[in-house]
Amino acid sequence: MTLPLPAGASPIGPQEFQDMVDRVERYIGQVEKNMQRLFDNCNRAAVVLPAFLADDLRPRLERLRDLTRRLFLELTKVVANPGWPPGVLSAAEDWTTRVGGPVSGLATRLTPDQMKLDNKWEGAAADAYAETLPTQKAAIEGIKQLTDVLDTNLTKIGWGIVAMWAGLAVALAAFVAELIVEVGAAATVVGAPPAAAGAGVSTAKVIGLVGTLVVAFLTYVGLTVDALSGMRQKLAGHEPYPGGSWPRSTTTDLEDGSLRDGDGTDWRMKY
């Protein structure tokens, strides 16, 4: 199962996401209430049903009780760790608007014509300084590539959390509707055994759906982690960051900033 991501969607606001979480928690409350009503109806029916029907009902209720316990255990794990996509999506946007964008603008200025290095000065030191520009430009462009990776993958995680909660809401809404039908059937007394069995099937189904949503999200995060690992490896690589550090000139020509000392590295004014 894959988590659908809205194309070109605007960031979800804090209140919007909180409303989504609250909706899921309301559905969980309705599941608990209707499940209790179902058990109450089935227990009352077991008292008046013929022995063979009562004997058929009891194991179904036991299985339903076990499934209900498993369901609430899985839901508790999700509700206890809801995530916060507004923060994740905001961080994704900041990496581009506050880092990637400004850095990209700086990279366009790291050219000899933009820096105007050779307008007034010449000499070995001036040439050495100009020759550092390509590596500096490549390093800055590398930062933009890295911020793009961060933006893209954080955005995927943020919307992945949203998609998981939306999926939970849909699954629980359908489950509540099915439980309401089973509660009504159990109230007829003779319908209690099939109602307990039907509720067991519905509960097992929603447990599977919850598990699938969680596994899909974790798989999705795993793919994102792989992308971020690649980014870390690039930072630690030799291009464009030799030894994992910012590139520096290895020439000694830059060490002499003198104007006239006769050593061949003098900076000279152009006339």
Side-chain angles (χ1 to χ4, degrees), residues 74-113:
E74 293 302 315
L75 289 174
T76 298
K77 293 177 184 177
V78 177
V79 172
N81 301 280
W84 190 242
V88 176
L89 293 170
S90 176
E93 184 179 3
D94 285 347
W95 274 111
T96 292
T97 59
R98 298 193 178 189
V99 182
V103 163
S104 180
L106 180 61
T108 62
R109 297 168 55 190
L110 285 179
T111 58
D113 59 315

Coordinates of all heavy atoms in Angstrom, one line a residue, residues 74-113:
E74 N -3.2 -1.2 19.1 CA -2.6 -0.6 17.9 C -3.0 0.8 17.8 O -2.1 1.7 17.4 CB -3.1 -1.4 16.6 CG -2.6 -2.8 16.5 CD -1.1 -2.9 16.5 OE1 -0.4 -2.1 15.8 OE2 -0.5 -3.8 17.3
L75 N -4.2 1.2 18.1 CA -4.7 2.6 18.0 C -3.9 3.4 19.0 O -3.6 4.6 18.7 CB -6.2 2.6 18.1 CG -7.0 2.1 17.0 CD1 -8.5 2.1 17.4 CD2 -6.8 2.9 15.7
T76 N -3.7 2.9 20.2 CA -3.0 3.6 21.2 C -1.6 4.0 20.8 O -1.1 5.1 21.1 CB -3.0 2.8 22.5 OG1 -4.3 2.6 23.0 CG2 -2.2 3.6 23.6
K77 N -0.9 3.1 20.1 CA 0.4 3.4 19.6 C 0.4 4.6 18.7 O 1.3 5.4 18.7 CB 1.0 2.2 18.9 CG 1.2 1.0 19.8 CD 1.7 -0.2 19.0 CE 1.9 -1.5 19.8 NZ 2.3 -2.6 18.9
V78 N -0.6 4.7 17.8 CA -0.6 5.7 16.8 C -1.0 7.1 17.5 O -0.4 8.1 17.3 CB -1.6 5.4 15.7 CG1 -1.7 6.6 14.7 CG2 -1.2 4.2 15.0
V79 N -2.0 7.0 18.4 CA -2.5 8.2 19.0 C -1.5 8.8 19.9 O -1.4 10.0 20.1 CB -3.9 7.9 19.8 CG1 -4.3 9.1 20.6 CG2 -5.0 7.6 18.8
A80 N -0.7 7.9 20.6 CA 0.4 8.4 21.5 C 1.5 9.1 20.7 O 2.3 9.9 21.3 CB 0.9 7.3 22.3
N81 N 1.7 8.8 19.4 CA 2.8 9.4 18.6 C 2.2 9.9 17.3 O 2.4 9.4 16.2 CB 3.8 8.3 18.4 CG 4.4 7.8 19.6 OD1 5.3 8.4 20.2 ND2 4.0 6.6 20.0
P82 N 1.4 11.0 17.4 CA 0.7 11.5 16.2 C 1.6 12.1 15.2 O 1.2 12.2 14.0 CB -0.3 12.5 16.8 CG 0.4 13.0 18.0 CD 1.1 11.8 18.6
G83 N 2.8 12.6 15.6 CA 3.6 13.4 14.6 C 3.0 14.8 14.5 O 2.0 15.1 15.1
W84 N 3.8 15.7 13.8 CA 3.3 17.1 13.7 C 3.7 17.6 12.3 O 4.7 18.3 12.1 CB 4.0 17.9 14.8 CG 3.4 19.3 14.9 CD1 4.0 20.5 14.7 CD2 2.0 19.6 15.2 NE1 3.1 21.5 14.8 CE2 1.9 21.1 15.1 CE3 0.9 18.9 15.5 CZ2 0.7 21.7 15.3 CZ3 -0.3 19.6 15.7 CH2 -0.4 21.0 15.6
P85 N 2.9 17.2 11.3 CA 3.2 17.6 9.9 C 3.3 19.1 9.7 O 4.1 19.5 8.9 CB 2.1 17.0 9.1 CG 1.0 16.6 10.1 CD 1.7 16.3 11.4
P86 N 2.5 20.0 10.4 CA 2.7 21.4 10.2 C 4.2 21.8 10.5 O 4.8 22.6 9.7 CB 1.8 22.1 11.2 CG 0.7 21.1 11.4 CD 1.4 19.7 11.3
G87 N 4.8 21.3 11.5 CA 6.2 21.6 11.8 C 7.1 21.0 10.8 O 8.1 21.7 10.4
V88 N 6.9 19.8 10.4 CA 7.8 19.2 9.4 C 7.7 19.9 8.0 O 8.7 20.2 7.4 CB 7.3 17.7 9.2 CG1 8.2 17.1 8.1 CG2 7.5 16.9 10.5
L89 N 6.5 20.3 7.6 CA 6.3 21.0 6.3 C 6.9 22.4 6.4 O 7.5 22.9 5.4 CB 4.8 21.0 5.9 CG 4.2 19.7 5.6 CD1 2.7 19.8 5.5 CD2 4.8 19.1 4.3
S90 N 6.8 23.0 7.5 CA 7.4 24.4 7.7 C 8.9 24.3 7.6 O 9.5 25.1 7.0 CB 6.9 25.0 9.0 OG 7.5 26.2 9.3
A91 N 9.5 23.2 8.3 CA 10.9 23.1 8.2 C 11.4 22.8 6.8 O 12.4 23.3 6.3 CB 11.3 21.9 9.1
A92 N 10.6 22.0 6.0 CA 10.9 21.7 4.6 C 11.0 23.0 3.8 O 11.9 23.3 3.1 CB 9.9 20.8 4.0
E93 N 10.0 23.9 4.0 CA 9.9 25.1 3.3 C 11.1 26.1 3.7 O 11.7 26.7 2.8 CB 8.6 25.8 3.6 CG 8.4 27.1 2.8 CD 7.0 27.8 3.1 OE1 6.3 27.2 3.9 OE2 6.7 28.8 2.5
D94 N 11.4 26.1 5.0 CA 12.5 26.9 5.4 C 13.8 26.6 4.8 O 14.7 27.4 4.6 CB 12.6 26.9 7.0 CG 11.5 27.7 7.7 OD1 10.8 28.4 7.0 OD2 11.3 27.5 8.9
W95 N 14.1 25.3 4.6 CA 15.4 24.8 4.0 C 15.5 25.4 2.6 O 16.7 25.8 2.2 CB 15.5 23.3 4.0 CG 16.0 22.7 5.2 CD1 15.3 21.9 6.1 CD2 17.3 22.8 5.7 NE1 16.1 21.6 7.2 CE2 17.4 22.1 6.9 CE3 18.5 23.5 5.3 CZ2 18.5 22.0 7.7 CZ3 19.6 23.4 6.0 CH2 19.7 22.6 7.2
T96 N 14.4 25.6 1.9 CA 14.5 26.2 0.6 C 14.5 27.7 0.6 O 15.4 28.4 0.0 CB 13.4 25.7 -0.3 OG1 13.6 24.3 -0.6 CG2 13.4 26.5 -1.6
T97 N 13.6 28.3 1.4 CA 13.4 29.8 1.4 C 14.5 30.5 2.2 O 14.9 31.6 1.8 CB 12.1 30.2 1.9 OG1 11.9 29.7 3.3 CG2 10.9 29.6 1.1
R98 N 15.0 29.9 3.2 CA 16.0 30.5 4.1 C 17.4 30.1 3.8 O 18.4 30.8 4.2 CB 15.6 30.3 5.5 CG 14.3 30.8 6.0 CD 14.1 30.8 7.5 NE 12.9 31.4 7.9 CZ 12.5 31.7 9.1 NH1 13.4 31.5 10.1 NH2 11.3 32.2 9.4
V99 N 17.6 29.0 3.2 CA 19.0 28.5 3.0 C 19.2 28.3 1.5 O 20.1 28.9 0.9 CB 19.3 27.2 3.7 CG1 20.7 26.7 3.5 CG2 19.0 27.3 5.2
G100 N 18.5 27.4 0.9 CA 18.7 27.0 -0.5 C 18.6 28.2 -1.5 O 19.4 28.4 -2.3
G101 N 17.5 29.0 -1.3 CA 17.3 30.1 -2.2 C 18.4 31.2 -2.1 O 19.0 31.5 -3.1
P102 N 18.7 31.7 -0.9 CA 19.8 32.7 -0.8 C 21.1 32.1 -1.2 O 21.9 32.9 -1.9 CB 19.8 33.0 0.7 CG 18.4 32.7 1.2 CD 17.9 31.5 0.4
V103 N 21.4 30.9 -0.9 CA 22.7 30.3 -1.3 C 22.8 30.2 -2.9 O 23.8 30.5 -3.5 CB 22.9 28.9 -0.7 CG1 24.0 28.1 -1.4 CG2 23.3 29.1 0.8
S104 N 21.7 29.8 -3.5 CA 21.7 29.7 -5.0 C 22.0 31.1 -5.6 O 22.7 31.2 -6.6 CB 20.3 29.2 -5.4 OG 20.2 29.1 -6.8
G105 N 21.4 32.1 -5.0 CA 21.7 33.5 -5.5 C 23.1 33.9 -5.3 O 23.7 34.5 -6.2
L106 N 23.8 33.4 -4.2 CA 25.2 33.7 -4.0 C 26.0 33.0 -5.1 O 27.0 33.5 -5.5 CB 25.6 33.2 -2.6 CG 27.0 33.4 -2.2 CD1 27.4 34.9 -2.2 CD2 27.3 32.8 -0.8
A107 N 25.6 31.7 -5.4 CA 26.4 31.0 -6.4 C 26.5 31.7 -7.8 O 27.5 31.6 -8.4 CB 25.8 29.6 -6.6
T108 N 25.5 32.4 -8.1 CA 25.5 33.1 -9.4 C 26.5 34.3 -9.4 O 26.8 34.8 -10.5 CB 24.1 33.7 -9.8 OG1 23.7 34.6 -8.8 CG2 23.1 32.5 -9.8
R109 N 26.9 34.7 -8.3 CA 27.8 35.8 -8.2 C 29.3 35.4 -8.1 O 30.2 36.2 -8.2 CB 27.5 36.7 -6.9 CG 26.1 37.3 -6.9 CD 25.7 37.8 -5.6 NE 26.7 38.8 -5.1 CZ 26.7 39.2 -3.8 NH1 25.8 38.8 -3.0 NH2 27.6 40.1 -3.4
L110 N 29.5 34.1 -8.0 CA 30.9 33.6 -7.9 C 31.4 33.3 -9.3 O 31.8 32.1 -9.6 CB 30.9 32.3 -7.0 CG 30.8 32.6 -5.5 CD1 30.8 31.3 -4.7 CD2 31.9 33.5 -5.0
T111 N 31.6 34.3 -10.1 CA 32.2 34.2 -11.4 C 33.1 35.4 -11.5 O 32.9 36.4 -10.9 CB 31.2 34.2 -12.5 OG1 30.4 35.4 -12.4 CG2 30.2 33.0 -12.4
P112 N 34.2 35.2 -12.3 CA 35.2 36.4 -12.4 C 34.5 37.7 -12.9 O 34.9 38.7 -12.4 CB 36.1 35.9 -13.5 CG 36.1 34.4 -13.3 CD 34.7 34.0 -13.0
D113 N 33.5 37.6 -13.8 CA 32.9 38.8 -14.2 C 32.1 39.5 -13.2 O 32.0 40.7 -13.1 CB 32.1 38.6 -15.5 CG 31.0 37.6 -15.3 OD1 31.3 36.5 -14.6 OD2 29.9 37.8 -15.7

